[in-house]
Amino acid sequence: MINKRRKVSLKKRETRSCSNTGRLNNIQPAIQKSEKELSREYNSTNTAFVNKTIENNVQRIRDKSTLLNEIEANGEIKIVGGVYHISNGEVILL
């Protein structure tokens, strides 16, 4: 996990209509793992919970995709998690 946070501004871009249900189902295992690992409020106002969920999701991606894991191990890519702030378009990479 990278300890240094970087701020990245994203320009607004064209978005397509898509289902959030699929995305929520995809991150649910990471959320459930975070709930077991932490003993506080489990919502977006709890920074520790959000960061732990992101960390768990990044690890889940590494575990589920042997291709991405291999490419990352070779130093070709880096899998990172981040928090997107809807209010200003800022992304904080963890």
Side-chain angles (χ1 to χ4, degrees):
M1 188 87 188
I2 298 173
N3 293 330
K4 187 175 180 182
R5 292 182 176 205
R6 293 184 290 163
K7 293 182 180 181
V8 178
S9 294
L10 297 178
K11 294 180 180 178
K12 288 187 178 182
R13 59 183 172 172
E14 184 179 330
T15 59
R16 296 182 206 169
S17 176
C18 58
S19 168
N20 285 330
T21 304
R23 289 188 191 139
L24 291 175
N25 289 339
N26 201 27
I27 65 169
Q28 198 62 30
I31 292 171
Q32 291 169 349
K33 185 175 181 189
S34 297
E35 288 174 348
K36 291 177 185 174
E37 294 172 347
L38 299 173
S39 59
R40 292 190 234 166
E41 291 185 46
Y42 308 127
N43 59 48
S44 63
T45 62
N46 181 346
T47 304
F49 175 70
V50 171
N51 291 345
K52 190 65 173 169
T53 301
I54 293 167
E55 180 184 320
N56 289 337
N57 220 21
V58 168
Q59 188 57 50
R60 188 168 176 266
I61 291 168
R62 288 180 178 127
D63 293 343
K64 292 274 186 186
S65 176
T66 54
L67 176 62
L68 291 177
N69 195 13
E70 182 180 324
I71 294 171
E72 185 179 39
N74 290 338
E76 297 174 54
I77 64 167
K78 179 73 179 162
I79 301 171
V80 298
V83 178
Y84 174 68
H85 294 276
I86 294 172
S87 61
N88 61 13
E90 183 180 77
V91 176
I92 297 177
L93 301 178
L94 304 178

